[in-house]
Amino acid sequence: MTNRRDFLKTMAATGAATVAAPSILASCTSGNGGNAAEPSGSTLIVPKDNGLRITGTFLDEISHDIPHQNWGEKEWDRDFAYMKAIGIDTVIDIRCGYRKFITYPSPYLLKKGCYMPSVDLIDMFCRLAQKYGMKFYLGLYDSGVYWDTKDMSHEIEDNKFVIDEVWKMYGEKYESFGGWYLSTEISRSTIGAVDAFHAMGKQCKDVSGGLPVFISPWIDGKKAIMGTGLKVKDGVSVEDHEREWNQIFAGIHDVVDACAFQDGHIDYDELDAFFSVNKKLADRYGMQCWTNAETFDRDMPINFLPIKFDKLRMKLEAAKRCGYDKAITFEFSHFLSPQSVYAAAGNLYNRYKEYFNID
């Protein structure tokens, strides 16, 4: 290895080995044969339990920028137990399909040329959510066209069929099916966004008898534009963010119940300013104000590793100060789970439990 980036890549690739053998580690650090002493209590020097607890998480099994963990139902079952242990009550399939890869055997999407999945993940997620007393939200299909054209209108047509078939296959079968996620992400005024959100949100509500619908856009802040060649100062201002999202909320609030802005694209000293605006807008339009508390670190030279605990703590504390209704995360299984491919995720889980006084 020749530089820090190579070192980080090597550590990320080998980190799972540490997580895979907790019993071996325990035997080396406890009992008469161990030399390491167990710590006596918490060493945190900040007030504990002072943030908004994470009670929801995305489930990312159709991804294009984080590794697949190749879990079967046994591993997923264990992960749901870990989630339940820290108070998670809501799980959200981030998208039921992305381009040609899909999470369930969709009659419509298979005819369109999508690949047959080896496991029906939607059925599994609904069953596990039911087992652990959670609500499952279904993320809609993402054709990928939006990312190429920046025009959301194309997403409406495919999802007309997906929404109907998903509801018939799972919504009518499982009590855990609790809502919908409009998976196309935007940051600012986007071609066709209001019409697409409204059309898809209305259909979701109509077919399911009014189950809740939410979105999770990003704030077009300093960290959002760092990779575009623009200068850091070109991040959106608080005033422009408020003006643009006031217009968007005005057009969708009757069919979208909650908005969970991603919290990773602004700096930590900007959290209160943007969070306050988000809460004010949500209250104005009778929407729930959630935060998508990202548990991966956007400040590192490699994408994407579990976040430093203090960064997550500051974001959750800001959400509580600003009166947010709920915190969800992207995403528990990779970045917060004790069985993640990243060893640091298990450490973050322990620090989170320590901070929130969770046994």
Side-chain angles (χ1 to χ4, degrees):
M1 77 189 62
T2 57
N3 56 42
R4 184 167 178 261
R5 182 180 291 271
D6 291 336
F7 171 77
L8 288 168
K9 289 179 179 178
T10 302
M11 293 302 292
T14 59
T18 307
V19 180
S23 60
I24 297 174
L25 290 176
S27 68
C28 293
T29 58
S30 62
N32 293 332
N35 296 320
E38 286 294 319
S40 56
S42 172
T43 58
L44 293 180
I45 61 173
V46 294
K48 296 170 70 173
D49 201 4
N50 198 34
L52 186 62
R53 295 193 182 203
I54 294 170
T55 55
T57 181
F58 285 104
L59 307 172
D60 190 5
E61 270 304 289
I62 296 292
S63 176
H64 63 278
D65 53 12
I66 58 175
H68 288 274
Q69 303 192 102
N70 295 308
W71 290 350
E73 186 156 346
K74 180 180 179 180
E75 291 86 358
W76 276 111
D77 191 306
R78 186 183 303 123
D79 224 48
F80 271 64
Y82 283 131
M83 296 175 199
K84 183 74 173 180
I86 63 168
I88 287 177
D89 58 23
T90 307
V91 291
I92 309 116
D93 175 55
I94 195 165
R95 52 185 75 86
C96 64
Y98 178 61
R99 298 186 189 268
K100 289 190 175 185
F101 283 96
I102 56 180
T103 58
Y104 74 103
S106 163
Y108 171 76
L109 294 173
L110 288 170
K111 290 179 182 177
K112 295 249 322 174
C114 289
Y115 306 133
M116 180 70 179
S118 57
V119 174
D120 187 338
L121 290 170
I122 302 304
D123 188 80
M124 182 181 69
F125 290 154
C126 285
R127 284 188 287 104
L128 290 175
Q130 201 143 303
K131 176 180 178 179
Y132 288 97
M134 301 175 181
K135 287 298 182 184
F136 171 79
Y137 279 61
L138 188 285
L140 299 188
Y141 175 68
D142 184 343
S143 70
V145 173
Y146 161 71
W147 299 107
D148 297 331
T149 66
K150 303 306 178 187
D151 183 346
M152 270 186 64
S153 60
H154 182 84
E155 304 305 315
I156 300 173
E157 187 61 28
D158 287 333
N159 279 298
K160 285 181 181 177
F161 299 93
V162 168
I163 292 167
D164 282 345
E165 70 179 15
V166 162
W167 178 251
K168 290 175 183 177
M169 294 172 71
Y170 311 104
E172 293 178 348
K173 180 178 180 181
Y174 291 108
E175 292 182 5
S176 58
F177 196 107
W180 308 85
Y181 169 56
L182 307 184
S183 60
T184 308
E185 300 171 23
I186 65 172
S187 63
R188 305 177 72 163
S189 298
T190 300
I191 300 171
V194 171
D195 290 342
F197 278 150
H198 196 278
M200 293 186 290
K202 184 177 187 305
Q203 185 179 351
C204 287
K205 283 188 162 297
D206 287 347
V207 76
S208 64
L211 287 181
V213 174
F214 85 98
I215 60 174
S216 186
W218 77 88
I219 299 168
D220 200 24
K222 296 176 181 178
K223 297 180 189 179
I225 53 83
M226 280 181 175
T228 66
L230 299 174
K231 294 181 180 179
V232 171
K233 68 180 179 62
D234 291 324
V236 69
S237 68
V238 175
E239 294 75 18
D240 285 344
H241 174 77
E242 180 174 5
R243 176 180 52 79
E244 293 181 16
W245 279 96
N246 181 66
Q247 295 171 349
I248 295 170
F249 280 9
I252 66 174
H253 70 277
D254 58 322
V255 294
V256 174
D257 301 275
C259 180
F261 278 103
Q262 301 166 29
D263 68 2
H265 295 94
I266 53 177
D267 216 342
Y268 303 98
D269 56 7
E270 298 178 302
L271 290 167
D272 285 84
F274 281 96
F275 280 19
S276 296
V277 164
N278 295 342
K279 176 61 174 169
K280 179 172 70 173
L281 290 174
D283 287 349
R284 178 180 299 165
Y285 290 101
M287 299 168 65
Q288 289 271 302
C289 187
W290 298 0
T291 187
N292 180 353
E294 295 177 341
T295 37
F296 65 91
D297 203 327
R298 291 188 180 274
D299 305 325
M300 298 293 288
I302 180 173
N303 296 335
F304 294 102
L305 299 174
I307 198 169
K308 176 182 172 69
F309 168 70
D310 275 331
K311 296 176 181 179
L312 176 61
R313 174 183 61 82
M314 288 190 288
K315 296 191 296 182
L316 294 176
E317 288 174 352
K320 185 175 183 178
R321 281 195 301 272
C322 295
Y324 273 35
D325 299 296
K326 187 177 182 71
I328 64 174
T329 186
F330 185 88
E331 160 266 13
F332 180 91
S333 296
H334 283 85
F335 307 115
L336 192 53
S337 169
Q339 64 173 352
S340 166
V341 296
Y342 301 115
N347 296 334
L348 183 59
Y349 185 82
N350 292 335
R351 300 292 74 71
Y352 181 92
K353 289 175 65 179
E354 178 186 10
Y355 174 74
F356 282 110
N357 296 311
I358 298 171
D359 295 330

PDB file of all heavy atoms in Angstrom, residues 52 99 109 201 205 209 218 237 249 270 276 280 302 311:
ATOM      1  N   LEU A  52     -32.190  12.907  19.398  1.00  0.00           N
ATOM      2  CA  LEU A  52     -33.381  12.198  18.918  1.00  0.00           C
ATOM      3  C   LEU A  52     -32.970  10.779  18.555  1.00  0.00           C
ATOM      4  O   LEU A  52     -32.079  10.574  17.737  1.00  0.00           O
ATOM      5  CB  LEU A  52     -33.962  12.919  17.700  1.00  0.00           C
ATOM      6  CG  LEU A  52     -35.298  12.407  17.154  1.00  0.00           C
ATOM      7  CD1 LEU A  52     -36.408  12.550  18.186  1.00  0.00           C
ATOM      8  CD2 LEU A  52     -35.673  13.162  15.879  1.00  0.00           C
ATOM      9  N   ARG A  99     -32.959   0.132 -11.988  1.00  0.00           N
ATOM     10  CA  ARG A  99     -32.635  -0.273 -13.355  1.00  0.00           C
ATOM     11  C   ARG A  99     -33.097  -1.715 -13.563  1.00  0.00           C
ATOM     12  O   ARG A  99     -34.291  -1.984 -13.456  1.00  0.00           O
ATOM     13  CB  ARG A  99     -31.159  -0.035 -13.652  1.00  0.00           C
ATOM     14  CG  ARG A  99     -30.751   1.465 -13.559  1.00  0.00           C
ATOM     15  CD  ARG A  99     -29.323   1.700 -14.007  1.00  0.00           C
ATOM     16  NE  ARG A  99     -28.884   3.052 -13.717  1.00  0.00           N
ATOM     17  CZ  ARG A  99     -28.983   4.092 -14.558  1.00  0.00           C
ATOM     18  NH1 ARG A  99     -29.511   3.926 -15.749  1.00  0.00           N
ATOM     19  NH2 ARG A  99     -28.541   5.296 -14.203  1.00  0.00           N
ATOM     20  N   LEU A 109     -42.130  -5.883 -14.146  1.00  0.00           N
ATOM     21  CA  LEU A 109     -40.736  -5.525 -14.394  1.00  0.00           C
ATOM     22  C   LEU A 109     -39.966  -6.650 -15.072  1.00  0.00           C
ATOM     23  O   LEU A 109     -39.051  -6.394 -15.854  1.00  0.00           O
ATOM     24  CB  LEU A 109     -40.061  -5.116 -13.084  1.00  0.00           C
ATOM     25  CG  LEU A 109     -40.599  -3.828 -12.446  1.00  0.00           C
ATOM     26  CD1 LEU A 109     -39.985  -3.600 -11.076  1.00  0.00           C
ATOM     27  CD2 LEU A 109     -40.349  -2.615 -13.353  1.00  0.00           C
ATOM     28  N   GLY A 201     -47.625   9.530  -5.110  1.00  0.00           N
ATOM     29  CA  GLY A 201     -48.131   9.554  -3.746  1.00  0.00           C
ATOM     30  C   GLY A 201     -49.626   9.337  -3.687  1.00  0.00           C
ATOM     31  O   GLY A 201     -50.127   8.606  -2.824  1.00  0.00           O
ATOM     32  N   LYS A 205     -51.630   6.140  -1.870  1.00  0.00           N
ATOM     33  CA  LYS A 205     -52.677   6.331  -0.871  1.00  0.00           C
ATOM     34  C   LYS A 205     -54.004   5.729  -1.318  1.00  0.00           C
ATOM     35  O   LYS A 205     -54.708   5.074  -0.539  1.00  0.00           O
ATOM     36  CB  LYS A 205     -52.848   7.819  -0.570  1.00  0.00           C
ATOM     37  CG  LYS A 205     -51.765   8.374   0.337  1.00  0.00           C
ATOM     38  CD  LYS A 205     -52.102   9.784   0.762  1.00  0.00           C
ATOM     39  CE  LYS A 205     -51.279  10.173   1.989  1.00  0.00           C
ATOM     40  NZ  LYS A 205     -51.554   9.360   3.176  1.00  0.00           N
ATOM     41  N   GLY A 209     -55.691   2.556   0.914  1.00  0.00           N
ATOM     42  CA  GLY A 209     -56.606   3.095   1.908  1.00  0.00           C
ATOM     43  C   GLY A 209     -56.000   4.193   2.762  1.00  0.00           C
ATOM     44  O   GLY A 209     -56.362   4.368   3.929  1.00  0.00           O
ATOM     45  N   TRP A 218     -32.246  15.411  -0.468  1.00  0.00           N
ATOM     46  CA  TRP A 218     -31.038  15.914   0.174  1.00  0.00           C
ATOM     47  C   TRP A 218     -31.019  17.434   0.094  1.00  0.00           C
ATOM     48  O   TRP A 218     -31.702  18.050  -0.730  1.00  0.00           O
ATOM     49  CB  TRP A 218     -29.787  15.302  -0.437  1.00  0.00           C
ATOM     50  CG  TRP A 218     -29.306  15.830  -1.768  1.00  0.00           C
ATOM     51  CD1 TRP A 218     -28.463  16.885  -1.961  1.00  0.00           C
ATOM     52  CD2 TRP A 218     -29.606  15.318  -3.074  1.00  0.00           C
ATOM     53  NE1 TRP A 218     -28.214  17.060  -3.296  1.00  0.00           N
ATOM     54  CE2 TRP A 218     -28.902  16.108  -4.006  1.00  0.00           C
ATOM     55  CE3 TRP A 218     -30.400  14.268  -3.544  1.00  0.00           C
ATOM     56  CZ2 TRP A 218     -28.973  15.891  -5.383  1.00  0.00           C
ATOM     57  CZ3 TRP A 218     -30.463  14.049  -4.904  1.00  0.00           C
ATOM     58  CH2 TRP A 218     -29.764  14.850  -5.812  1.00  0.00           C
ATOM     59  N   SER A 237     -28.102  28.474  -0.153  1.00  0.00           N
ATOM     60  CA  SER A 237     -28.304  29.281   1.046  1.00  0.00           C
ATOM     61  C   SER A 237     -29.542  28.798   1.780  1.00  0.00           C
ATOM     62  O   SER A 237     -30.424  28.153   1.195  1.00  0.00           O
ATOM     63  CB  SER A 237     -28.469  30.758   0.678  1.00  0.00           C
ATOM     64  OG  SER A 237     -29.690  30.957  -0.020  1.00  0.00           O
ATOM     65  N   PHE A 249     -43.355  21.687  -1.198  1.00  0.00           N
ATOM     66  CA  PHE A 249     -44.313  21.212  -0.196  1.00  0.00           C
ATOM     67  C   PHE A 249     -45.729  21.673  -0.527  1.00  0.00           C
ATOM     68  O   PHE A 249     -46.699  20.928  -0.301  1.00  0.00           O
ATOM     69  CB  PHE A 249     -43.923  21.716   1.189  1.00  0.00           C
ATOM     70  CG  PHE A 249     -42.826  20.927   1.864  1.00  0.00           C
ATOM     71  CD1 PHE A 249     -42.107  19.956   1.189  1.00  0.00           C
ATOM     72  CD2 PHE A 249     -42.501  21.177   3.189  1.00  0.00           C
ATOM     73  CE1 PHE A 249     -41.088  19.231   1.802  1.00  0.00           C
ATOM     74  CE2 PHE A 249     -41.491  20.456   3.823  1.00  0.00           C
ATOM     75  CZ  PHE A 249     -40.790  19.499   3.122  1.00  0.00           C
ATOM     76  N   GLU A 270     -24.068  24.202  10.532  1.00  0.00           N
ATOM     77  CA  GLU A 270     -25.219  24.678   9.764  1.00  0.00           C
ATOM     78  C   GLU A 270     -26.497  23.901  10.101  1.00  0.00           C
ATOM     79  O   GLU A 270     -27.568  24.230   9.595  1.00  0.00           O
ATOM     80  CB  GLU A 270     -24.957  24.527   8.265  1.00  0.00           C
ATOM     81  CG  GLU A 270     -23.785  25.316   7.728  1.00  0.00           C
ATOM     82  CD  GLU A 270     -23.571  25.066   6.239  1.00  0.00           C
ATOM     83  OE1 GLU A 270     -23.372  23.896   5.847  1.00  0.00           O
ATOM     84  OE2 GLU A 270     -23.609  26.044   5.469  1.00  0.00           O
ATOM     85  N   SER A 276     -34.158  24.048  11.356  1.00  0.00           N
ATOM     86  CA  SER A 276     -35.249  24.921  11.785  1.00  0.00           C
ATOM     87  C   SER A 276     -36.179  25.264  10.626  1.00  0.00           C
ATOM     88  O   SER A 276     -37.404  25.288  10.776  1.00  0.00           O
ATOM     89  CB  SER A 276     -34.685  26.203  12.408  1.00  0.00           C
ATOM     90  OG  SER A 276     -33.953  25.922  13.577  1.00  0.00           O
ATOM     91  N   LYS A 280     -40.122  24.254  10.221  1.00  0.00           N
ATOM     92  CA  LYS A 280     -41.103  25.317   9.992  1.00  0.00           C
ATOM     93  C   LYS A 280     -41.954  25.018   8.756  1.00  0.00           C
ATOM     94  O   LYS A 280     -43.188  25.172   8.777  1.00  0.00           O
ATOM     95  CB  LYS A 280     -40.389  26.668   9.820  1.00  0.00           C
ATOM     96  CG  LYS A 280     -41.340  27.842   9.555  1.00  0.00           C
ATOM     97  CD  LYS A 280     -40.602  29.166   9.582  1.00  0.00           C
ATOM     98  CE  LYS A 280     -39.676  29.350   8.411  1.00  0.00           C
ATOM     99  NZ  LYS A 280     -39.083  30.717   8.347  1.00  0.00           N
ATOM    100  N   ILE A 302     -12.688   8.123   1.279  1.00  0.00           N
ATOM    101  CA  ILE A 302     -13.193   6.923   0.606  1.00  0.00           C
ATOM    102  C   ILE A 302     -14.679   6.801   0.897  1.00  0.00           C
ATOM    103  O   ILE A 302     -15.133   7.040   2.019  1.00  0.00           O
ATOM    104  CB  ILE A 302     -12.435   5.659   1.089  1.00  0.00           C
ATOM    105  CG1 ILE A 302     -12.961   4.405   0.381  1.00  0.00           C
ATOM    106  CG2 ILE A 302     -12.509   5.486   2.596  1.00  0.00           C
ATOM    107  CD1 ILE A 302     -12.150   3.142   0.676  1.00  0.00           C
ATOM    108  N   LYS A 311     -20.017  12.878  15.207  1.00  0.00           N
ATOM    109  CA  LYS A 311     -20.754  13.505  14.108  1.00  0.00           C
ATOM    110  C   LYS A 311     -22.219  13.080  14.127  1.00  0.00           C
ATOM    111  O   LYS A 311     -23.122  13.904  13.952  1.00  0.00           O
ATOM    112  CB  LYS A 311     -20.110  13.146  12.771  1.00  0.00           C
ATOM    113  CG  LYS A 311     -18.693  13.677  12.602  1.00  0.00           C
ATOM    114  CD  LYS A 311     -18.081  13.209  11.291  1.00  0.00           C
ATOM    115  CE  LYS A 311     -16.652  13.715  11.128  1.00  0.00           C
ATOM    116  NZ  LYS A 311     -16.044  13.240   9.862  1.00  0.00           N
TER     117      LYS A 311
END
